[in-house]
Amino acid sequence: KTTRKKVYTHSERAALCQHPLTQKLLTIMDMKKTNLALSADVTSSKQLLSLADSIGPYICILKTHIDILDDFSPDVTAELRALADKHNFVIFEDRKFADIGRTVQHQLSSGIYHISRWADLVNAHPLPGPGIIDGLKQIIKNFIIISYSPTEAIEMAEANSDFVIGYICQSRLTDNPQFLHMTPGVKLVEGGDSLGQQYTTPEDVIRRKTCDIIIVGRGITESVDPVATAIHYQQAGYAAYVSLFH
Amino acid sequence: KTTRKKVYTHSERAALCQHPLTQKLLTIMDMKKTNLALSADVTSSKQLLSLADSIGPYICILKTHIDILDDFSPDVTAELRALADKHNFVIFEDRKFADIGRTVQHQLSSGIYHISRWADLVNAHPLPGPGIIDGLKQIIKNFIIISYSPTEAIEMAEANSDFVIGYICQSRLTDNPQFLHMTPGVKLVEGGDSLGQQYTTPEDVIRRKTCDIIIVGRGITESVDPVATAIHYQQAGYAAYVSLFH
């Protein structure tokens, strides 16, 4: 069983962190009593906005894949932004940037989506090397690294702690309280899909792997009553967090 | 100096390969006497289509980043498709898929871009694991792996040779003649940009690293006379290939 030297509460960590978005996120988590991120992987704008509005009160992060919307228009991101302010959550565009610095700059700021105009947070693979960070950093201030390669991820994050707020990972990578650990593939019941996705539980992520945020997608979006299910995940995730102090 | 056991001509390799797109590509390379891929990283549709039309005769592949176009419309991809048929080149959307199977399926077939409708070829990072291949394979037939992690890349390619046609890499990974090796970051003069991109030369890529295709972007698109420069690259790349047999 992994144990951390010191377990900080969300508000203690908010005070320790330098990065404004990390502070904001930890404050949201503390105030709204939630470590739940909703992965809103739907292909209709109406459905996305409806999920953001109905489930917004129970989440700290709304994770989007803006490029799978079949009916995208700039109005969608404007409305998302308004809902993020209304319900106090952070918008995380899960673009998984993975190219050279100059290309990711275009992908982040140009094109149809203009991601940097409305997303609070984006992510990238560390593999293309430091140029990807340098490219993104010139355009957006908040960023998560995907830790398929933990060594590279940690190195890149520590070297850019003014910019990198954390990791997408399956278990805690570092005791540095400045970095948030977010874990995807969470369901209330373990299992998998037909394309290799494996699911883990909120209890497992927060207590055993000592990560900070559970990312839940189909467990909520494909349930019969998404709002009730989201509340269920919020409570399970937060109870696991609270139990760290007992 | 790296030496291959046997150097095949493009037409010999076309006969050895099972994959229809690899055969098509090697046949184009043989007929048009070119191993040049143009990386058309421009943000205007008009500029993209103009490059595709004027430089189309000299390339085997047009590599696109459809998501950096500021004025994308479905007409653009229809026109690109028509130009690919007119000039006989392959369209390679350099999307660098890097997510779980279900998400990449949406990204490939849905959204605004409907990549699978017009791209001959896409690519992905091997890191998310076999699910990414299984997801893409259900939708598109042709695919390149990016080899930041050569071991994983080779393993994944060999296990999916009905689907994977080659690698994006800096030097040859395997002697298996079925796999095409494509190298980005090529200029006539070595050097770099301010975001960590390093450049190598056609001679170096084709002769010393024994790769098959040179991918040239800014070296052509930012030159004073892109067509004349493209012809220059085509000749340099092809001369390096011909020299392998002397």
Side-chain angles (χ1 to χ4, degrees):
Chain A
K1 195 168 190 172
T2 317
T3 36
R4 275 190 279 172
K5 280 154 204 156
K6 157 107 179 86
V7 185
Y8 296 97
T9 63
H10 295 150
S11 58
E12 282 171 342
R13 279 176 76 182
L16 283 172
C17 290
Q18 309 298 316
H19 197 300
L21 191 76
T22 319
Q23 288 174 344
K24 178 178 172 179
L25 202 38
L26 285 162
T27 305
I28 291 175
M29 291 165 74
D30 184 44
M31 284 172 51
K32 293 173 70 177
K33 295 191 189 308
T34 181
N35 50 29
L36 174 62
L38 175 67
S39 181
D41 297 344
V42 292
T43 54
S44 129
S45 299
K46 200 179 151 193
Q47 212 187 336
L48 174 63
L49 295 171
S50 153
L51 282 170
D53 199 18
S54 59
I55 296 177
Y58 314 107
I59 58 177
C60 55
I61 292 176
L62 182 77
K63 185 170 86 58
T64 54
H65 280 296
I66 204 71
D67 62 343
I68 69 172
L69 290 180
D70 288 326
D71 53 356
F72 173 84
S73 79
D75 294 344
V76 177
T77 45
E79 286 186 53
L80 265 188
R81 207 47 269 162
L83 290 171
D85 296 337
K86 174 179 170 193
H87 296 301
N88 200 19
F89 59 75
V90 159
I91 305 177
F92 166 25
E93 167 59 18
D94 187 10
R95 176 59 179 74
K96 295 187 172 67
F97 290 104
D99 216 304
I100 58 169
R102 187 166 181 270
T103 298
V104 297
Q105 286 191 331
H106 282 307
Q107 291 171 329
L108 177 57
S109 62
S110 314
I112 294 291
Y113 300 125
H114 302 287
I115 295 170
S116 58
R117 290 190 195 162
W118 52 268
D120 296 298
L121 193 58
V122 297
N123 59 351
H125 283 279
L127 290 178
I132 193 170
I133 294 276
D134 299 338
L136 293 168
K137 213 170 175 172
Q138 289 173 8
I139 292 171
I140 199 166
K141 294 286 159 259
N142 314 306
F143 175 77
I144 298 177
I145 288 177
I146 303 161
S147 79
Y148 288 118
S149 325
T151 317
E152 285 90 342
I154 293 169
E155 208 168 282
M156 210 173 250
E158 297 279 350
N160 296 279
S161 60
D162 58 331
F163 173 57
V164 176
I165 76 155
Y167 306 100
I168 302 291
C169 54
Q170 288 301 316
S171 59
R172 180 165 288 271
L173 300 181
T174 157
D175 285 333
N176 186 336
Q178 286 193 55
F179 294 110
L180 293 168
H181 292 64
M182 313 186 193
T183 304
V186 178
K187 279 200 174 180
L188 289 171
V189 180
E190 288 175 18
D193 77 358
S194 62
L195 293 172
Q197 171 75 311
Q198 287 301 314
Y199 292 109
T200 180
T201 65
E203 169 83 9
D204 193 49
V205 170
I206 302 292
R207 265 189 82 85
R208 203 172 69 77
K209 295 166 178 164
T210 62
C211 290
D212 301 306
I213 292 172
I214 55 172
I215 305 177
V216 183
R218 282 172 270 177
I220 292 173
T221 58
E222 294 182 358
S223 76
V224 179
D225 183 345
V227 174
T229 309
I231 294 173
H232 200 151
Y233 275 97
Q234 177 201 5
Q235 290 171 342
Y238 205 73
Y241 159 72
V242 168
S243 79
L244 293 174
F245 304 96
H246 296 296
Chain B
K1 196 166 193 174
T2 317
T3 37
R4 275 189 279 172
K5 280 151 203 158
K6 157 106 178 90
V7 184
Y8 297 96
T9 65
H10 294 151
S11 59
E12 283 169 340
R13 278 177 76 183
L16 282 171
C17 290
Q18 308 298 316
H19 197 299
L21 190 77
T22 319
Q23 289 175 344
K24 177 177 172 178
L25 202 38
L26 286 162
T27 306
I28 290 174
M29 292 164 74
D30 184 45
M31 284 173 51
K32 292 173 72 175
K33 296 191 190 308
T34 182
N35 50 29
L36 174 62
L38 175 66
S39 181
D41 298 343
V42 292
T43 54
S44 129
S45 300
K46 197 177 154 197
Q47 212 187 338
L48 173 63
L49 294 171
S50 153
L51 282 170
D53 198 20
S54 61
I55 296 177
Y58 314 107
I59 57 177
C60 56
I61 292 177
L62 181 77
K63 185 169 84 59
T64 54
H65 280 297
I66 205 71
D67 61 343
I68 70 172
L69 290 181
D70 287 325
D71 54 356
F72 174 83
S73 79
D75 294 345
V76 177
T77 46
E79 285 184 56
L80 265 189
R81 205 50 269 161
L83 290 170
D85 296 338
K86 174 179 170 193
H87 295 301
N88 201 20
F89 59 76
V90 160
I91 304 177
F92 166 25
E93 166 59 18
D94 187 8
R95 175 57 177 78
K96 297 189 173 65
F97 290 105
D99 216 303
I100 58 169
R102 187 164 180 272
T103 299
V104 296
Q105 286 191 331
H106 282 308
Q107 291 171 329
L108 177 57
S109 62
S110 315
I112 293 292
Y113 299 125
H114 302 287
I115 296 171
S116 58
R117 291 191 195 160
W118 52 269
D120 295 299
L121 194 58
V122 296
N123 59 351
H125 283 280
L127 289 179
I132 194 169
I133 295 277
D134 297 340
L136 293 167
K137 214 171 174 172
Q138 288 173 10
I139 291 171
I140 198 166
K141 294 288 160 258
N142 315 306
F143 177 78
I144 297 176
I145 287 177
I146 303 159
S147 78
Y148 288 118
S149 326
T151 317
E152 285 89 343
I154 294 168
E155 207 169 283
M156 210 174 249
E158 297 279 349
N160 295 279
S161 59
D162 57 331
F163 173 59
V164 176
I165 78 157
Y167 305 100
I168 302 292
C169 53
Q170 289 301 318
S171 60
R172 179 165 289 271
L173 301 182
T174 157
D175 284 333
N176 186 335
Q178 287 192 55
F179 295 109
L180 294 168
H181 291 65
M182 314 187 193
T183 303
V186 178
K187 280 201 174 180
L188 288 170
V189 179
E190 289 173 20
D193 77 0
S194 62
L195 294 173
Q197 171 74 311
Q198 287 301 313
Y199 293 109
T200 180
T201 66
E203 170 82 9
D204 192 49
V205 169
I206 302 292
R207 266 191 80 86
R208 204 173 67 78
K209 296 169 179 161
T210 64
C211 290
D212 303 305
I213 291 171
I214 55 172
I215 305 177
V216 182
R218 282 172 269 178
I220 292 172
T221 57
E222 295 182 356
S223 75
V224 179
D225 184 344
V227 173
T229 309
I231 294 171
H232 200 151
Y233 274 97
Q234 175 201 6
Q235 289 170 345
Y238 206 74
Y241 160 73
V242 168
S243 78
L244 294 174
F245 304 96
H246 296 295

